[in-house]
Amino acid sequence: MTQLLRDAYRYAVLSRKFEDRIIHMGMAGEIPPTLHPGAGHEVCQTAALAALGPDDKVLYSHRGVAYMIARGTPLTAILADIANKEGGTNRGKGGVMHVVDVPHGVLGESGTLGGGLVVCAGVAMALKRFGKGQVVAHFFGDGGSNRGTFHESLNFSAVQRLPAIFFCENNGWAVSVPTSESTSVPDIASRAHGYGIPGVVVDGNDAFAVFDAMTTAVARARNGDGPTLIEAKVVRLAGHYIGDPQLYRPDRDLAAQKDPLPGFAEALIEAGILERADLETIDAEAQAEVERAVAVVAAAPLLDPALALQDLYA
Amino acid sequence: MAVITYSQAINQALVEEMERDDRVILYGEDVAIGIFGATGGLRERYGGDRVFNTPISEPLIVGSAVGAAMMGLRPVAELQFADFIFTAGDEVFLKAGMWRFMHGGAYTLPLVVRAPSGGAGFGPEHSACPEAYIMHSPGLLCAVPSTPADAKGLLKQAIRLDNPVIFFEHKSLYGTRGEVPDGEYVVPFGKAVVRREGDAVTIVAWQNMLRRVLAAADRLAADGIEAEVIDPRTLNPFDRETIIESVKKTGACVVVEEGYRTLGVGAEIAATLMEHAFPYLDKPMRRLAIPDVPIATARHFVDRIVPTEDEIYREVKALVG
Ligand SMILES: Cc1ncc(C[n+]2csc(CCOP(=O)(O)OP(=O)(O)O)c2C)c(N)n1
């Protein structure tokens, strides 16, 4: 666990620095500004993913790039997907939202919110049939949880006792709509009771708590006991999209004070997992890795438009 | 050659493919009994792990097939009525149709969605033949078998293909009988078959309309009009070549379909002929189709809007007689 959480912190820092650079380049018009910034969510995402094994599968949400980083997808591939350059994963078809890395278990993302939930059930169905104890985790937002597919997937996965973890990152917002306007209960996880499966609310800013909740859910799934719904309360530090002025959002100054990343560092130091001196090293290494990726992708050629006609049929 | 029903042919195809390949799984609403008879007995034979009933959750049925296929299974999912393609629109058109493309070809999606279509008396939400929507949409192969032999051979082929297939089973055909080749065979996608040779007019039709066209063609023959009848068998891939070649010989073309007229399969064939056979057409292209209204429940209303044998006979005779 020590090593896993140390890595989770490293990935969270790397993701933050990488996204800052992506946002900067996006605002400057150097690359398309297509990222939905993950700032505020990374600690939760990387801590949750730390509980998965290398053979497990992930379907992720649109909120940032920490998911793929934590699974081991190279930064160059992610940036190339954003920049429509050679060296990416989806050859110009999906951009940053559909980074795919099958060897690392990264299966993709649904452009339609909630669309991944039913796909996740099918992945879980296959994993159950293979009988090797693999699990799939699906990350989605509070907004996505209001789709009918949420009901269908949780019900079916519960009936079939599928090895799936449904992980809701509740940041209180779906673009400009607060959950109080869209969602009938304060805790989305409470809906799990309607499906007879565990529903767990966890503080998404507390990496240790997220890791624990996820570890329990993964063990349950591996054991053949079925799915779990985890709801992590997180904070969306940035706008919905790059350049979102967030005029609709009265809490944005307050939210900005709640960056979970420094808190994660402190908790790791307190637990004796990191030394204070490590923080600077981690920061410096992350920044260097980001700059290396930026340089590689800057030199890569733009994708050949002939690819627009390829990859539809096998 | 054994004579069996269309629904028995589908059952045989499923049995043979499940025997051959244990990655094939089958599921949908009521598949354990098989509402139209096609899947009966399979759960007993292959067990509840491979053949299972699902809740009434169409997006889940199709979406999970996409997920299972991306992991390497070969799911055969059933929508109880083809109309429910729209209930699962995201999963059919955007997931099955696009996920491989959108993820840069990172995986294949070898799945089949079986969809019972057509028929009379089922009402507007249970009677459609929505194959034109599938033909229009990138990424989805589309089969429209007309005979027991093709139902079996095309389904076996569909299960083996590495691309998503929407497989339309016409409800009026389940009880129809026909000869099925002995032994192992598949029917390739993208190869039309000439059901009847002739030189006066080319008629394109499939499934229930094909039966009516063949009956009308016999009457036309008695009047001295020899129609060439083409069954496309699959709409994606679509064998344009066979139709174009036939029209070069006959100089006239009629498409008879059980879908809505505007932007239907007939419209696509008409455009194809304008592009590739214009100099050969001696007569205006004709389309017989549903006149852009939903299919009412009353059976005599259905006969008013779906092309009948009489109507086909009259229209073709008026065109080339
Ligand atoms: C089916 C569907 N409806 C609407 C959208 C447009 N959309 C993209 S992100 C978003 C808000 C998502 O909110 P949430 O799920 O809470 O995730 P968050 O962005 O807060 O991380 C909306 C409305 C979409 N992509 N898909």
Side-chain angles (χ1 to χ4, degrees):
Chain A
M1 178 188 110
T2 306
Q3 181 64 35
L4 292 174
L5 284 176
R6 189 189 295 136
D7 285 346
Y9 177 71
R10 225 164 36 76
Y11 295 140
V13 170
L14 185 54
S15 181
R16 177 71 61 85
K17 292 197 180 297
F18 191 34
E19 288 196 9
D20 282 348
R21 195 72 164 82
I22 291 166
I23 292 166
H24 187 263
M25 290 191 289
M27 299 281 265
E30 292 163 29
I31 55 174
T34 44
L35 179 76
H36 294 84
H41 288 234
E42 315 96 322
V43 167
C44 167
Q45 294 164 345
T46 60
L49 287 166
L52 292 184
D55 292 334
D56 295 326
K57 310 296 171 196
V58 178
L59 288 154
Y60 55 89
S61 174
H62 56 276
R63 188 65 46 216
V65 297
Y67 311 104
M68 310 81 171
I69 291 177
R71 289 301 293 182
T73 308
L75 267 50
T76 48
I78 299 168
L79 187 55
D81 276 338
I82 301 177
N84 303 318
K85 297 280 192 83
E86 276 181 21
T89 70
N90 57 49
R91 297 158 43 99
K93 310 308 183 358
V96 67
M97 235 93 75
H98 305 288
V99 172
V100 62
D101 182 356
V102 173
H104 287 110
V106 179
L107 301 180
E109 191 253 356
S110 173
T112 57
L113 296 168
L117 290 155
V118 286
V119 176
C120 172
V123 171
M125 218 159 76
L127 296 179
K128 181 182 169 194
R129 187 157 167 71
F130 298 155
K132 295 188 203 147
Q134 294 157 285
V135 307
V136 54
H138 178 36
F139 294 80
F140 54 96
D142 46 280
S145 78
N146 284 326
R147 284 282 317 280
T149 49
F150 175 88
H151 169 71
E152 295 193 4
S153 305
L154 268 66
N155 177 58
F156 178 75
S157 302
V159 169
Q160 294 263 342
R161 295 169 92 84
L162 296 181
I165 297 100
F166 296 99
F167 195 102
C168 179
E169 298 171 50
N170 183 351
N171 61 19
W173 294 92
V175 190
S176 69
V177 181
T179 43
S180 58
E181 277 180 39
S182 65
T183 306
S184 62
V185 286
D187 293 333
I188 289 161
S190 69
R191 292 184 170 163
H193 303 308
Y195 306 104
I197 63 171
V200 185
V201 180
V202 64
D203 176 1
N205 300 322
D206 179 346
F208 288 75
V210 170
F211 181 78
D212 280 351
M214 188 71 176
T215 302
T216 305
V218 168
R220 181 180 145 81
R222 279 205 212 295
N223 210 29
D225 295 332
T228 301
L229 172 62
I230 299 177
E231 175 188 8
K233 309 279 192 189
V234 293
V235 32
R236 193 186 90 192
L237 293 179
H240 177 67
Y241 54 89
I242 294 179
D244 178 1
Q246 300 195 83
L247 299 176
Y248 52 82
R249 190 172 174 190
D251 76 331
R252 63 188 181 280
D253 295 332
L254 187 66
Q257 292 163 17
K258 287 201 271 184
D259 184 354
L261 204 45
F264 189 12
E266 289 307 320
L268 288 169
I269 291 167
E270 204 168 299
I273 296 173
L274 282 183
E275 304 280 331
R276 194 162 297 281
D278 294 335
L279 301 186
E280 264 181 50
T281 319
I282 290 171
D283 270 18
E285 281 176 2
Q287 197 61 52
E289 194 175 339
V290 168
E291 294 314 322
R292 273 198 302 277
V294 170
V296 168
V297 174
L302 209 57
L303 289 165
D304 180 349
L307 287 167
L309 302 174
Q310 297 179 17
D311 297 326
L312 186 59
Y313 299 106
Chain B
M1 287 225 234
V3 174
I4 61 172
T5 65
Y6 189 85
S7 115
Q8 285 167 335
I10 288 161
N11 190 280
Q12 281 187 7
L14 293 168
V15 166
E16 289 180 16
E17 293 309 298
M18 292 190 79
E19 287 292 338
R20 254 189 94 244
D21 187 344
D22 67 6
R23 296 170 302 175
V24 179
I25 58 172
L26 176 78
Y27 59 96
E29 294 154 20
D30 305 290
V31 295
I33 59 162
I35 281 288
F36 295 110
T39 59
L42 295 176
R43 183 164 77 174
E44 288 73 17
R45 191 154 174 173
Y46 296 105
D49 284 349
R50 287 183 76 189
V51 180
F52 49 89
N53 293 328
T54 62
I56 299 166
S57 299
E58 285 74 14
L60 179 282
I61 291 169
V62 181
S64 66
V66 172
M70 112 185 19
M71 294 308 300
L73 294 185
R74 304 187 87 82
V76 180
E78 177 178 316
L79 291 173
Q80 198 158 75
F81 288 83
D83 313 70
F84 306 161
I85 281 171
F86 304 107
T87 315
D90 185 12
E91 289 68 29
V92 170
F93 296 103
L94 310 187
K95 300 293 170 288
M98 295 187 190
W99 260 45
R100 171 182 158 80
F101 176 85
M102 189 167 74
H103 294 102
Y107 27 69
T108 56
L109 297 175
L111 66 100
V112 179
V113 177
R114 296 179 39 246
S117 60
F122 296 97
E125 294 176 325
H126 291 72
S127 302
C129 287
E131 47 261 29
Y133 294 85
I134 301 301
M135 189 185 191
H136 177 71
S137 303
L140 300 170
L141 304 188
C142 177
V144 284
S146 301
T147 64
D150 277 0
K152 181 173 174 183
L154 284 169
L155 183 53
K156 283 166 66 74
Q157 180 66 20
I159 291 169
R160 295 181 196 186
L161 288 172
D162 280 333
N163 292 304
V165 178
I166 311 299
F167 193 89
F168 289 103
E169 300 170 6
H170 196 289
K171 297 199 280 295
S172 303
L173 298 184
Y174 277 121
T176 59
R177 307 174 82 75
E179 284 187 342
V180 171
D182 297 325
E184 171 64 34
Y185 75 99
V186 294
V187 173
F189 275 47
K191 292 239 176 308
V193 59
V194 177
R195 295 284 180 199
R196 186 183 194 292
E197 287 189 22
D199 55 10
V201 55
T202 301
I203 309 179
V204 183
W206 55 97
Q207 298 194 315
N208 205 34
M209 292 301 100
L210 175 66
R211 296 171 74 214
R212 293 181 184 182
V213 163
L214 289 171
D218 284 345
R219 288 167 60 187
L220 289 163
D223 297 347
I225 298 167
E226 292 296 341
E228 180 138 297
V229 179
I230 296 177
D231 171 3
R233 301 207 276 199
T234 63
L235 298 177
N236 182 25
F238 188 53
D239 183 356
R240 290 176 167 78
E241 213 41 49
T242 297
I243 297 171
I244 292 166
E245 286 311 310
S246 174
V247 168
K248 284 182 180 174
K249 180 172 73 174
T250 63
C253 183
V254 179
V255 179
V256 185
E257 66 183 304
E258 204 173 324
Y260 308 123
R261 177 182 173 85
T262 298
L263 292 178
V265 178
E268 176 57 27
I269 294 174
T272 299
L273 294 177
M274 292 304 283
E275 286 170 335
H276 300 287
F278 181 64
Y280 300 93
L281 279 169
D282 304 324
K283 304 279 182 186
M285 161 88 197
R286 295 282 295 148
R287 285 178 287 163
L288 303 187
I290 295 178
D292 295 346
V293 292
I295 301 156
T297 305
R299 281 173 178 266
H300 64 297
F301 285 21
V302 177
D303 289 339
R304 170 70 180 74
I305 60 163
V306 173
T308 57
E309 181 192 317
D310 272 344
E311 188 186 353
I312 297 163
Y313 169 77
R314 276 186 277 109
E315 290 287 338
V316 175
K317 187 148 189 196
L319 183 69
V320 295

